[in-house]
Amino acid sequence: MTGAKKKKKSMLWSKMHTPQCEDIIQWCRRRLPILDWAPYYNLKENLLPDTVSGIMLAVQQVTQGLAFAVLSSVHPVFGLYGSLFPAIIYAIFGMGRHVATGTFALTSLISANAVERIVPQNIQNLTTQSNTSVLGLSDFEMQRIHVAAAVSFLGGVIQVAMFVLQLGSATFVVTEPVISAMTTGAATHVVTSQVKHLLGIKMPYISGPLGFFYIYAYVFENIKSVRLEALLLSLLSIVVLVLVKELNEQFKRKIKVVLPVDLVLIIAASFACYCTNMENTYGLEVVGHIPQGIPSPRAPPISILSAVITEAFGVALVGYVASLALAQGSAKKFKYSIDDNQEFLAHGLSNIVSSFFFCIPSAAAMGRTAGLYSTGAKTQVACLISCIFVLIVIYAIGPLLYWLPMCVLASIIVVGLKGMLIQFRDLKKYWNVDKIDWGIWVSTYVFTICFAANVGLLFGVVCTIAIVIGRFPRAMTLNIKNMKEMEFKVKTEMESETLQQVKIVSINNPLVFLNAKKFYTDLMNIIQKENAGNQPLDDISKCEQNTLLNSLSNGNCNEEALQSCPNEKYSLILDCSGFTFFDYSGVSMLVEVYMDCKGRNVDVLLAHCTASLIKAMKYYGNLDSEKPIFFESVSAAISHIHANKASYELLFNNLDLLAGRGGSLL
């Protein structure tokens, strides 16, 4: 008997743990998102826009690759490799269809700290000047790229570990104000690091706490060392880049292909520098020799991993947060979804695999992603096409970039960070929506400037959580309504037919970054259930008030909220009487709900709103000014719905009457 039981248990155990073919296919589709869209790729509709976007992206990848490699304190050729391999890996594992992965200013700046600390500039003369067998580069240059590759490898390992631990679901604590302040502060650091190239002065590498201020102090102390030729060329390059890009943006609807001003500037500057011999005549620093080809892969040195662990964590966190924000933005813009944990895996593998090919740390960049938007890219095929052109540069065109002035390359970096720097304009928005978020933005920016991007990010997250924890104990108790009295008023004043088209949802908690996503998900589930329903409600109690987000722990919605309603246009009333306080994330999610419902043919009305909430929502979103959406009570909102229905019925009756008269005249 015991033997039969053991045999039965073993059979059940084998059935539970034997993977089926369908399970393997689903796992592959979940972990290889390219299998979801590649088999259904429409060559006729998508290939042309993806090709155009890929060509334009390749220009950005090459220029930013060279620039960010210099920013990372390694030879410029390694930036070309960093523009190639991460883009290929992310196209396979990433879910952002309009995200351009490659070299990134923030991660390059972080890895430069490790490079300059372990292989400082002053030991260049102490190392042997003989060329290595790798691309003919010196031992000093190879030592530096080994450090940068080690940072990339360990940062990727950390990201994959976070994927295994499923920490992507915890990214909601990194709010939009924190990301905006951190990226703006880091962009300010990058601009500061390029001052020496813009002015044409030589200065030692300065980093660490308050290093931002020490750099400008050094510049002002050595202001007489500024090369006028480099300064004028930098100013001219910046003016041309800004002017042409603004014109491209203004007339992008009238012209099919925008002018690749970065490429034109590089060609013109390199040609002018070659013809006038600026390197020797005026002492301008140029990019120098760019080796051809790609070296054979080599593992990063394991011996220095322990020395770069701080920078690796910075690369893993800062790169992921910045990339995730871009992926979420593209998913929101083009109406698809992404998995936060899968993004950990995609960026982790991009960094790990690329580190074997002498690549600096990678992430998605705002400028390149915005370029994909503006040029009409459809899928990651655009990124793969850009890789083909990057390969052409590596194997054929690279040596022609020898004469490119460093001040021009620095100008391209500074103008490319415009999207991050103009986030200063968000301060007005945060001030009008939630002054606490404004304070978090300012303090996070200050910490980023004074210390580093990873320190600013950590401070912003801790500060946000601490403030929310401090605000919750002061939250008002829930305003419990007498449901029988409300139903009685509704029954006596309104027709039951009107109420069949109404759903009332009560928000009984503060709406902040902690529960904003869950609020959106639950509400969309209710709407989808409503749209899926085919049978009308027979009783007014079926449209009773439902409670959303019953606890801060993001519990499930009330089951009664999932009951079906008519498959016609109906109204959703959000009772905000229990809406005790909110932050910027909560307001943005509430406006997003309003806009999404509007697209789903659902009218959203808000009752019992505070004056601060009304002001914040009107300032944040372009709400429909023709239709009132804020009401003093739920009954007032229902009365408005009833009045609208009556007016519509009167209009339709008049139209029918006119149609009947027209028919009789005929």
Side-chain angles (χ1 to χ4, degrees), residues 101-246:
T101 304
T103 56
F104 185 43
L106 307 189
T107 54
S108 297
L109 193 64
I110 293 173
S111 65
N113 293 332
V115 172
E116 293 288 350
R117 188 182 72 250
I118 298 175
V119 189
Q121 188 72 32
N122 55 18
I123 73 166
Q124 183 174 6
N125 296 329
L126 302 178
T127 59
T128 176
Q129 295 300 313
S130 61
N131 293 336
T132 64
S133 59
V134 180
L135 300 175
L137 298 176
S138 66
D139 292 334
F140 174 76
E141 290 166 338
M142 294 309 301
Q143 289 176 17
R144 288 199 149 198
I145 188 56
H146 284 322
V147 175
V151 174
S152 177
F153 175 79
L154 188 57
V157 171
I158 293 172
Q159 289 174 329
V160 172
M162 291 180 175
F163 159 75
V164 174
L165 297 175
Q166 298 291 294
L167 295 182
S169 57
T171 54
F172 67 90
V173 300
V174 187
T175 61
E176 183 178 333
V178 172
I179 296 174
S180 174
M182 183 270 294
T183 53
T184 306
T188 309
H189 271 297
V190 175
V191 172
T192 301
S193 69
Q194 297 304 300
V195 168
K196 62 180 181 180
H197 297 303
L198 295 172
L199 301 179
I201 63 176
K202 295 186 179 297
M203 61 183 296
Y205 181 80
I206 301 174
S207 64
L210 304 181
F212 173 85
F213 304 100
Y214 292 140
I215 291 175
Y216 285 105
Y218 183 91
V219 170
F220 285 116
E221 289 176 358
N222 299 270
I223 197 69
K224 295 182 180 180
S225 302
V226 174
R227 291 187 180 274
L228 185 60
E229 299 82 4
L231 177 59
L232 292 176
L233 189 55
S234 299
L235 291 176
L236 179 62
S237 301
I238 291 174
V239 170
V240 170
L241 287 169
V242 172
L243 182 61
V244 176
K245 288 190 175 184
E246 286 296 326

Side-chain angles (χ1 to χ4, degrees), residues 63 142 236 258 276 296 324 522 527 604:
T63 55
M142 294 309 301
L236 179 62
V258 297
T276 59
S296 57
L324 181 64
D522 288 347
I527 293 172
V604 177

Side-chain angles (χ1 to χ4, degrees), residues 288-304:
H289 174 62
I290 303 292
Q292 289 179 296
I294 298 176
S296 57
R298 182 181 298 180
I302 306 298
S303 57
I304 63 173

Side-chain angles (χ1 to χ4, degrees), residues 1-20:
M1 194 70 180
T2 57
K5 287 184 177 180
K6 287 183 179 180
K7 186 176 181 180
K8 187 176 181 180
K9 286 183 178 180
S10 63
M11 291 177 62
L12 291 173
W13 183 262
S14 62
K15 288 183 179 180
M16 292 174 60
H17 290 78
T18 302
Q20 303 295 324

